[in-house]
Amino acid sequence: MKRVIGLMLLLIFLVAACGGPKIYREGQEKPRDLSGRWNDTDSKLVAEEMIKDALAKPWVANFRGKHSKNPTVIVGTVLNKSHEHINTETFIKDMERELTNSGSVTFVATKSERSEVREERSDQADFSDSETIKHFKKEIGADYMLKGTINTILDSQEGLKVVFYQVDLELIDVETNVKVWLGQKKYRKVIEK
């Protein structure tokens, strides 16, 4: 009887172990689009294309010609006005990466990041060796702020759905409020069921 119970428990364990989900890892170079909604591939490709366009426009050369240095940029708010839940933070990080890695601009921390760094400087003033303290009022102010929106239009009928995405970005001179670059990326996703 004990042997039968032991075999049954072993059989239950083996069935449970084999019936679980299959999980595997894959690189980001292989795009995955399961639902048709905005995803990591959209975020990466749109950020790369739009930042490449922004950096190719005259505002960069104009600034360098006038100031003999790279412009300093900060990313402001990117609003999700779409019908989908879109984590705009990942899109912002993709843009920050493209801007920073381009070598064409100096990039400064966002408002929330600066607050955390300022708190660290305050702690250093209280607790660090005087030779290693980082001082206040040494921050570099941004020359330009990049901000924008993500919008969608949804159309569907009888098992076919089309999602139109429009991403609008603008680069604004922080001192004068002049818009020096307006970028727009439009594309559609067709989802058949």
Side-chain angles (χ1 to χ4, degrees):
M1 186 65 159
K2 287 183 180 180
R3 188 174 210 194
V4 172
I5 293 174
L7 286 173
M8 288 178 74
L9 289 174
L10 179 62
L11 182 61
I12 291 170
F13 174 74
L14 289 174
V15 169
C18 294
K22 293 180 181 180
I23 298 170
Y24 55 93
R25 306 236 186 278
E26 59 184 26
Q28 285 184 323
E29 13 351 287
K30 181 180 180 183
R32 283 282 182 163
D33 207 333
L34 302 176
S35 65
R37 292 188 294 268
W38 177 278
N39 61 30
D40 63 317
T41 302
D42 297 305
S43 179
K44 181 179 182 291
L45 293 176
V46 171
E48 286 174 355
E49 185 175 322
M50 293 190 83
I51 297 304
K52 182 179 179 182
D53 178 65
L55 295 174
K57 298 302 186 225
W59 69 273
V60 177
N62 292 345
F63 185 90
R64 283 187 189 136
K66 188 175 181 181
H67 301 283
S68 300
K69 65 176 188 167
N70 283 344
T72 302
V73 177
I74 187 169
V75 175
T77 306
V78 175
L79 297 175
N80 175 18
K81 294 185 173 184
S82 76
H83 73 284
E84 299 178 12
H85 168 74
I86 295 177
N87 183 346
T88 58
E89 187 66 28
T90 60
F91 181 55
I92 289 169
K93 289 298 180 189
D94 284 338
M95 290 191 298
E96 287 178 351
R97 185 189 65 253
E98 292 300 314
L99 282 167
T100 302
N101 293 342
S102 74
S104 298
V105 301
T106 301
F107 196 78
V108 293
T110 64
K111 190 175 194 176
S112 61
E113 292 167 333
R114 288 192 312 266
S115 294
E116 187 176 359
V117 174
R118 288 174 184 154
E119 187 177 314
E120 171 59 23
R121 276 197 299 269
S122 181
D123 283 352
Q124 285 185 14
D126 290 338
F127 303 108
S128 295
D129 183 288
S130 61
E131 291 183 22
T132 63
I133 290 175
K134 304 306 177 265
H135 300 282
F136 282 96
K137 297 193 177 189
K138 299 283 185 176
E139 296 178 21
I140 297 173
D143 300 304
Y144 300 99
M145 178 180 279
L146 181 66
K147 50 187 289 137
T149 59
I150 301 172
N151 289 284
T152 56
I153 299 172
L154 177 64
D155 192 15
S156 63
Q157 183 177 343
E158 299 177 14
L160 185 64
K161 181 167 73 169
V162 177
V163 183
F164 170 77
Y165 290 90
Q166 180 172 318
V167 180
D168 291 289
L169 297 175
E170 50 192 33
L171 195 64
I172 303 168
D173 184 307
V174 173
E175 189 170 54
T176 65
N177 288 329
V178 171
K179 295 180 181 183
V180 297
W181 173 77
L182 299 173
Q184 188 175 74
K185 172 68 177 167
K186 296 179 179 183
Y187 66 98
R188 288 185 188 88
K189 284 189 175 185
V190 178
I191 302 107
E192 294 184 52
K193 293 189 178 191

